[in-house]
Amino acid sequence: MTDTRKNLIGLSREDLTAEMVAIGEKPYRAKQLWHQLYNRGETDFFNMTTISKVMQQRLHEQFVVERPRLEREMSSVDGTRKWLLGFPDGNEAETVFIPDMDEERGTVCISSQVGCTLTCTFCHTGTQLLVRNLTPAEIVGQFMVARDSYGEWPTPDDGGRKLSNIVMMGMGEPMFNFDNVATALKIAMDGDGIGISKRRITLSTSGVVPMMKRCGEELGVNLAISLHAVTDELRSELMPINKKYPLKVLMQACRDYPGASNSRRITFEYIMLKGLNDSAADAKKLLQLIRGLPAKFNLIPFNPWPGSAYECSAPADIRRFSDILQDNGYSAPIRASRGSDILAACGQLRSESQRQKCSRLTERLAQGIDDEHFPAQRQQQAIS
Ligand code: SAH
Ligand code: SF4
């Protein structure tokens, strides 16, 4: 028989309270339950010691506490860990943890959709036909699986935990699934539960201008913009969304982003594409474009996939590009290419061929073969 019980994960505080009231419990019970779900990470109602036996039984009859199904876990020698997750409709997503330089802390990369409705020409996700929004449970559940894996329940009071940051940089355009992303991130930020501060959460967007203000006001998270070009001509070719929201409009929305300041800079992601956007003149144009904005950069060597039409820039050209930005006072780390394999793969490994490629890489990483190409500190630079 199919289990028709409702999953409590992913409900907002208000909705959880409403569910408790609906089964005849007092609203404050929702607070105790929230703590069990998101601070203790408890999945079995009968282990929830702060909840009465009668209520435990009632919860068990009506509800479940469910994570996305863990299909596979992969670890590398440097502490990077990936989880292949399955959803009830057969779809899959990947979640990746990338440790910081000191390996004390690190970032969990999360997907917002299966596939993406946008068709950026350099992005493998954009080639996937089937697209659906992930639910709040599937979004926050990705982080919870990661925390299960590291055994970081309950949330430590002193904030001393390895999984310290979140980036919405996996598969999908988070602004096109904003309500679900917002519900999930509010759960992740809630101090009585998972407790990741908004200062440690970054949302990456291709530039969905009308949603940016709301994102800043409602969530107050750090913003990353996938920029990738300094002229409308090239950006429209790479990212069709630029035809709708061209650079001038996008830059104005960045200037208006609530909460951006010198201590909370907007990250501009810039994929390095050979002969297309990687000249010294492009770097100078980039500086003009972001003039007056609290900005930092993240230079991403293009990560090719079967059938992709681009080549990655030469290392010397990437370095020159980075130097120009840094000489003008901006942080402009280069994401390590091996790392970009893993990071770009975050949520993008739905097809079997890609998945096999990834497992080969992971095996090599596990054997230490790719160690020198994949130093943890380069990863950290790229994310922080
Ligand atoms: N849709 C959002 C977030 C997901 S993409 C966005 O576009 O920002 C996360 C990052 O991976 C983006 O900066 C995207 O441009 C980059 N990316 C996509 N395909 C890539 C590739 N083949 N090589 C390197 N980076 C890639
Ligand atoms: Fe979608 Fe982002 Fe990929 Fe563009 S880069 S297709 S917006 S996931």
Side-chain angles (χ1 to χ4, degrees):
M1 245 172 55
T2 347
D3 190 348
T4 54
R5 291 175 299 170
K6 187 171 184 171
N7 188 10
L8 288 180
I9 297 298
L11 296 182
S12 66
R13 261 183 186 272
E14 297 70 38
D15 289 348
L16 188 67
T17 308
E19 291 291 351
M20 290 307 101
V21 172
I23 61 163
E25 294 290 348
K26 296 265 186 303
Y28 75 88
R29 296 284 185 196
K31 195 172 156 55
Q32 291 173 328
L33 187 54
W34 183 276
H35 190 81
Q36 290 288 341
L37 298 177
Y38 295 117
N39 177 287
R40 320 271 327 166
E42 189 53 69
T43 54
D44 183 343
F45 294 119
F46 296 112
N47 288 340
M48 298 183 178
T49 46
T50 52
I51 286 171
S52 73
K53 293 263 182 285
V54 177
M55 184 174 162
Q56 286 177 356
Q57 182 59 35
R58 216 176 269 168
L59 288 171
H60 171 74
E61 282 161 15
Q62 308 263 359
F63 303 107
V64 287
V65 180
E66 232 168 47
R67 312 276 200 257
R69 194 177 58 254
L70 178 59
E71 296 191 345
R72 202 161 152 205
E73 180 176 276
M74 295 165 275
S75 298
S76 90
V77 279
D78 71 357
T80 297
R81 208 176 276 188
K82 308 206 305 183
W83 302 270
L84 181 66
L85 304 177
F87 304 120
D89 63 356
N91 274 307
E92 293 175 332
E94 280 228 354
T95 303
V96 184
F97 171 73
I98 300 145
D100 278 2
M101 206 178 332
D102 55 12
E103 302 208 5
E104 293 289 308
R105 301 184 147 241
T107 300
V108 181
C109 177
I110 291 178
S111 297
S112 57
Q113 298 181 304
V114 172
C116 186
T117 50
L118 296 173
T119 50
C120 303
T121 49
F122 52 80
C123 177
H124 185 251
T125 303
T127 67
Q128 300 183 1
L129 292 177
L130 191 72
V131 179
R132 82 160 168 87
N133 284 335
L134 293 178
T135 63
E138 290 166 340
I139 298 168
V140 74
Q142 294 173 59
F143 183 84
M144 296 177 86
V145 167
R147 202 174 247 188
D148 290 342
S149 171
Y150 279 91
E152 292 199 329
W153 306 107
T155 301
D157 288 339
D158 62 357
R161 60 200 164 217
K162 220 170 158 71
L163 276 59
S164 58
N165 292 53
I166 292 176
V167 289
M168 296 300 303
M169 279 188 197
M171 190 160 48
E173 171 48 61
M175 296 293 198
F176 284 160
N177 186 19
F178 187 76
D179 289 342
N180 290 353
V181 167
T183 302
L185 290 183
K186 282 180 193 165
I187 294 171
M189 284 178 211
D190 191 301
D192 284 344
I194 293 173
I196 304 280
S197 140
K198 62 185 180 180
R199 291 176 179 274
R200 293 186 172 275
I201 300 178
T202 301
L203 186 145
S204 174
T205 179
S206 56
V208 184
V209 165
M211 296 305 295
M212 282 166 57
K213 188 158 180 268
R214 201 176 144 202
C215 175
E217 282 173 355
E218 215 171 286
L219 298 176
V221 293
N222 303 315
L223 185 68
I225 302 285
S226 291
L227 193 65
H228 309 327
V230 292
T231 63
D232 279 319
E233 195 191 351
L234 179 62
R235 194 163 190 272
S236 296
E237 192 187 310
L238 299 174
M239 308 181 74
I241 194 169
N242 191 68
K243 291 179 198 147
K244 204 161 181 191
Y245 310 115
L247 282 170
K248 199 162 170 236
V249 176
L250 177 59
M251 288 302 134
Q252 189 55 47
C254 289
R255 282 173 224 288
D256 296 341
Y257 187 70
S261 66
N262 279 340
S263 59
R264 295 194 72 196
R265 291 168 183 268
I266 295 176
T267 303
F268 290 93
E269 297 160 273
Y270 196 92
I271 297 187
M272 303 301 304
L273 300 166
K274 189 177 204 160
L276 280 182
N277 66 358
D278 58 356
S279 70
D282 289 322
K284 285 172 194 152
K285 246 194 206 137
L286 181 52
L287 287 166
Q288 278 168 19
L289 200 62
I290 57 90
R291 187 168 292 157
L293 260 170
K296 59 181 177 176
F297 299 97
N298 192 355
L299 304 182
I300 313 172
F302 171 63
N303 178 32
W305 37 274
S308 61
Y310 304 105
E311 273 183 79
C312 182
S313 306
D317 290 338
I318 303 180
R319 262 195 309 277
R320 178 185 58 191
F321 203 94
S322 170
D323 287 347
I324 294 173
L325 300 177
Q326 294 195 69
D327 289 349
N328 281 274
Y330 292 96
S331 157
I334 302 162
R335 193 186 284 172
S337 61
R338 279 297 168 190
S340 77
D341 269 11
I342 296 250
L343 194 61
C346 176
Q348 294 185 7
L349 295 191
R350 213 152 48 115
S351 78
E352 192 56 35
S353 65
Q354 287 279 312
R355 205 177 302 142
Q356 283 168 358
K357 202 174 100 195
C358 157
S359 74
R360 282 199 299 278
L361 169 64
T362 309
E363 276 155 25
R364 287 164 68 199
L365 287 169
Q367 291 160 11
I369 295 168
D370 277 311
D371 213 16
E372 68 183 285
H373 299 291
F374 193 57
Q377 64 269 31
R378 299 286 298 280
Q379 288 292 332
Q380 193 273 334
Q381 282 173 354
I383 299 289
S384 60

